Amino acid sequence: MFDNKNILITGGTGSFGKKYIEHILAEYSPNKVIIFSRDELKQFEMQQKYNAPCMRYFIGDVRDADRLKEAMDGVDFVIHAAALKQVPAAEYNPFECIKTNIHGAQNVIQAAIACGVEKVIALSTDKAANPVNLYGATKLASDKLFVAANNMVGGRKTRFAVVRYGNVVGSRGSVVPFFQKLLDEGATELPITHADMTRFMITLDQGVQFVLKNFKRMQGGEIFIPKIPSMYMTALATAMAPDVPQKIVGIRPGEKLHEVMCPADDSHLTLEFEDHYVIKPTIQFAHHTDFAENRLGETGTPVTQGFEYNSGNNTEWLSSEVFLKMAEHSET
């Protein structure tokens, strides 16, 4: 599907972008892969490792609509990974988060339509479901924009979808490197916000493969959610440091006890497939699609009314042994 195609990744110097490049170069023969981001130092460092002839590095910000249009000229597929993601930073700098996560999303949509991009997948987060912090609220707005964009295309070929998943094991800013840093510095205890707190867990490899497969599955308007295991934060800390005591420090502002990926209020729109869920668009004007069967021929069935997929009611839980293997092979 990606052979001889042109692909652009916004925010491509992040953890996802690097892992995606590894997969796309190993598994396909793209014509051009464009890394679109605003940090020239990260681009320079990334270029030292990922310097295949097909690689291109564009300095630009998703807040700049004109630059996005220049970068998307002739592009077939777009992955929108650029975002301001730090919860406390978003609370302290709210409109900066809005400008990147909401205005930037709309700029990506308009550029993709103007340039005739075939398919766009936007990366979301579990924090966008029933959000309790500004970051989650901006990502929910972004999700709504990308889903609704399928009603804006008219007769054009461009289609948009969203991928939503939980905590990426070992990604920058996540709990695993944070705990590891504390342990390396000789910490005598690990901070736990709540004894019952749970989180969904996925590796970068799994996230990238899920996105790649959803380019093949998507029809336009879907929010794709993988079935992934949960883990108690106390169990995660014990797995990393079984002999280090844990200290309960209290839930931080904007933090949930359990994360949600399929809200109960969307249960009437949710379909269950073998290894993932799909939340259908609320409204379809331009294209009336039967999402019960995707482009790979996989079939889904409606969930029960009131169904909610959250990290606390999950049926799949991560053992310490499997978690440690995941962490060992993840980027930090």
Side-chain angles (χ1 to χ4, degrees), residues 206-271:
Q206 291 170 332
V208 167
Q209 290 290 5
F210 189 61
V211 170
L212 288 171
K213 196 163 190 179
N214 288 328
F215 269 112
K216 301 174 183 178
R217 285 174 169 144
M218 66 176 281
Q219 301 178 78
E222 305 97 325
I223 298 178
F224 292 99
I225 296 120
K227 292 182 179 179
I228 52 178
S230 296
M231 194 173 194
Y232 282 97
M233 292 298 96
T234 51
L236 184 152
T238 299
M240 291 187 66
D243 299 322
V244 176
Q246 300 169 14
K247 180 183 180 181
I248 304 300
V249 296
I251 294 179
R252 297 172 295 182
E255 191 172 44
K256 292 182 183 179
L257 188 61
H258 308 294
E259 289 288 5
V260 176
M261 288 208 285
C262 298
D265 289 334
D266 283 337
S267 61
H268 63 294
L269 299 170
T270 304
L271 297 169

Side-chain angles (χ1 to χ4, degrees), residues 52-269:
C54 66
M55 296 299 300
R56 302 288 187 274
Y57 291 86
F58 277 42
I59 301 291
D61 195 315
V62 293
R63 299 182 185 187
D64 186 340
D66 291 336
R67 181 59 171 161
L68 272 171
K69 288 179 183 177
E70 290 177 356
M72 282 193 203
D73 184 32
V75 166
D76 300 292
F77 303 111
V78 170
I79 298 173
H80 178 48
L84 293 182
K85 302 176 182 178
Q86 292 294 324
V87 171
E91 298 294 321
Y92 190 64
N93 307 276
F95 205 72
E96 294 306 304
C97 189
I98 289 168
K99 284 190 282 190
T100 294
N101 295 358
I102 299 178
H103 294 180
Q106 184 64 15
N107 287 339
V108 169
I109 290 165
Q110 291 175 333
I113 294 174
C115 295
V117 172
E118 184 179 341
K119 292 184 178 181
V120 179
I121 285 184
L123 302 190
S124 185
T125 167
D126 46 15
K127 293 175 177 60
N130 297 342
V132 297
N133 54 56
L134 185 77
Y135 166 57
T138 61
K139 291 303 287 184
L140 174 60
S142 173
D143 292 355
K144 294 289 188 181
L145 286 171
F146 278 100
V147 170
N150 292 280
N151 293 321
M152 297 165 50
V153 296
R156 302 177 185 89
K157 65 180 180 180
T158 310
R159 296 293 180 270
F160 302 86
V162 174
V163 166
R164 175 186 293 170
Y165 51 69
N167 288 351
V168 178
V169 177
S171 65
R172 293 178 304 173
S174 69
V175 67
V176 174
F178 173 64
F179 277 177
Q180 191 58 57
K181 181 175 182 290
L182 293 178
L183 294 170
D184 292 343
E185 294 171 350
T188 57
E189 59 187 18
L190 291 178
I192 302 293
T193 53
H194 194 285
D196 296 326
M197 183 168 286
T198 63
R199 288 294 181 265
F200 290 106
M201 292 290 171
I202 190 171
T203 66
L204 272 173
D205 279 314
Q206 291 170 332
V208 167
Q209 290 290 5
F210 189 61
V211 170
L212 288 171
K213 196 163 190 179
N214 288 328
F215 269 112
K216 301 174 183 178
R217 285 174 169 144
M218 66 176 281
Q219 301 178 78
E222 305 97 325
I223 298 178
F224 292 99
I225 296 120
K227 292 182 179 179
I228 52 178
S230 296
M231 194 173 194
Y232 282 97
M233 292 298 96
T234 51
L236 184 152
T238 299
M240 291 187 66
D243 299 322
V244 176
Q246 300 169 14
K247 180 183 180 181
I248 304 300
V249 296
I251 294 179
R252 297 172 295 182
E255 191 172 44
K256 292 182 183 179
L257 188 61
H258 308 294
E259 289 288 5
V260 176
M261 288 208 285
C262 298
D265 289 334
D266 283 337
S267 61
H268 63 294
L269 299 170

Side-chain angles (χ1 to χ4, degrees), residues 33-50:
V33 180
I34 301 167
I35 301 298
F36 183 93
S37 69
R38 61 185 184 177
D39 191 324
E40 73 275 18
L41 176 59
K42 289 179 183 175
Q43 286 199 10
F44 173 78
E45 293 171 344
M46 187 172 176
Q47 197 168 4
Q48 307 314 301
K49 182 176 181 180
Y50 304 102

